[in-house]
Amino acid sequence: MRVPGFEQYFRRLHVHNNTRNVWFQEYWQHKFGCALPGYDNRIIKYPRQCRPDRESLAKAPYNEDPKLSFVINSILAVVHGLDKMHKQICNGTSGLCTEMARMNRSLLMSFLKSSRFRGITG
């Protein structure tokens, strides 16, 4: 199953606009077989310098991993479980309350298991 909108999102990513992902520069170098200036290339030495002004994921071949939708569902399960836990334990306060800061794994697991949501796979 393809994730709606993901390809469009992915194709717009660029080393200039995706600085929050710490692995993206490494991915970019691998994808285009080049070295980014200022990036530590101890593991793989690429033969040429990257030219981000000429490289683009918009033109690169795209193959979506069939497991992507399950990864998204897993993240949604955790988000819904934490939200349910926060609403019950923190009594409507915003932010991380003291009771939730002392993370009880068993309690979190029960919230994860009791959460219900409609995931991307239906």
Side-chain angles (χ1 to χ4, degrees), residues 15-42:
V15 289
H16 298 308
N17 70 9
N18 191 22
T19 55
R20 71 175 192 267
N21 183 330
V22 295
W23 297 289
F24 191 72
Q25 288 185 335
E26 185 175 336
Y27 170 78
W28 187 273
Q29 292 175 121
H30 178 73
K31 181 77 172 173
F32 296 107
C34 60
L36 284 166
Y39 188 82
D40 185 6
N41 293 305
R42 282 186 251 180

Side-chain angles (χ1 to χ4, degrees), residues 28-113:
W28 187 273
Q29 292 175 121
H30 178 73
K31 181 77 172 173
F32 296 107
C34 60
L36 284 166
Y39 188 82
D40 185 6
N41 293 305
R42 282 186 251 180
I43 298 170
I44 300 173
K45 299 287 185 197
Y46 293 101
R48 67 176 187 84
Q49 286 291 313
C50 291
R51 298 287 309 266
D53 55 321
R54 295 187 182 167
E55 298 149 351
S56 171
L57 292 175
K59 302 169 194 160
Y62 175 81
N63 294 314
E64 189 168 299
D65 189 313
K67 295 177 274 318
L68 179 62
S69 57
F70 297 108
V71 171
I72 291 171
N73 279 349
S74 298
I75 293 167
L76 286 171
V78 172
V79 167
H80 283 274
L82 284 169
D83 183 59
K84 190 174 183 178
M85 184 177 182
H86 184 270
K87 284 177 181 167
Q88 186 171 329
I89 292 177
C90 296
N91 297 318
T93 61
S94 64
L96 187 62
C97 65
T98 308
E99 294 80 11
M100 202 166 157
R102 288 180 257 123
M103 184 57 69
N104 178 324
R105 286 182 250 164
S106 300
L107 184 60
L108 174 59
M109 186 57 74
S110 70
F111 279 103
L112 292 176
K113 289 180 178 180

Side-chain angles (χ1 to χ4, degrees), residues 109-120:
M109 186 57 74
S110 70
F111 279 103
L112 292 176
K113 289 180 178 180
S114 68
S115 293
R116 299 287 178 259
F117 64 95
R118 185 165 189 78
I120 197 162

